[in-house]
């Protein structure tokens, strides 16, 4: 997740690719967190860091989706 967060400088095609990558990473983190919890092998700090990363990705995904969704006024 080293991509610049300034979405205004990126075109829609790049944003769509990044969106797919971030969604996949979000799912992978979810799977990793679930596996660590089920096995009971993760310490609280590791789980906290993974969950924070997952939340940052969720926010970034929402920002990109907002940018890609056209404003429709009635």
């Amino acid at each position: 997740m080293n991509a610049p967060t300034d979405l205004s400088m990126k075109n829609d095609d790049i944003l769509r690719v990044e969106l797919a990558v971030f969604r996949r990473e979000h799912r992978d983190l979810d799977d990793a967190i679930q596996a660590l919890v089920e096995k009971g092998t993760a310490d609280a700090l590791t789980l906290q860091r993974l969950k924070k990363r997952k939340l940052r990705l969720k926010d970034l995904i929402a920002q990109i989706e907002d940018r890609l969704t056209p404003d429709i006024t009635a």
Side-chain angles (χ1 to χ4, degrees), residues 2 14 16-19 21-22 29 32-37 42 45-47 55-56 58 61-62 67 69-71 73:
N2 294 333
I14 291 172
R16 284 186 188 92
V17 170
E18 286 184 349
L19 182 60
V21 170
F22 294 150
L29 279 171
I33 291 167
Q34 186 64 31
L36 289 172
V37 168
L45 184 60
T46 301
L47 285 174
L55 284 173
R56 284 193 305 269
K58 182 180 177 183
I61 289 168
R67 166 80 192 283
T69 304
D71 287 337
T73 55

Side-chain angles (χ1 to χ4, degrees), residues 4-23:
T5 57
D6 184 10
L7 301 179
S8 64
M9 299 298 291
K10 298 180 181 181
N11 69 36
D12 288 355
D13 292 333
I14 291 172
L15 290 175
R16 284 186 188 92
V17 170
E18 286 184 349
L19 182 60
V21 170
F22 294 150
R23 284 179 175 160

Side-chain angles (χ1 to χ4, degrees), residues 1-3 5 7 18-30 33 49-65:
M1 200 166 100
N2 294 333
T5 57
L7 301 179
E18 286 184 349
L19 182 60
V21 170
F22 294 150
R23 284 179 175 160
R24 179 66 191 171
E25 187 175 350
H26 187 269
R27 281 191 305 271
D28 290 347
L29 279 171
D30 194 36
I33 291 167
R49 287 179 178 165
L50 291 173
K51 288 178 180 181
K52 281 186 179 184
R53 181 161 176 81
K54 186 178 163 196
L55 284 173
R56 284 193 305 269
L57 280 169
K58 182 180 177 183
D59 290 343
L60 188 53
I61 289 168
Q63 289 175 0
I64 293 172
E65 288 173 339

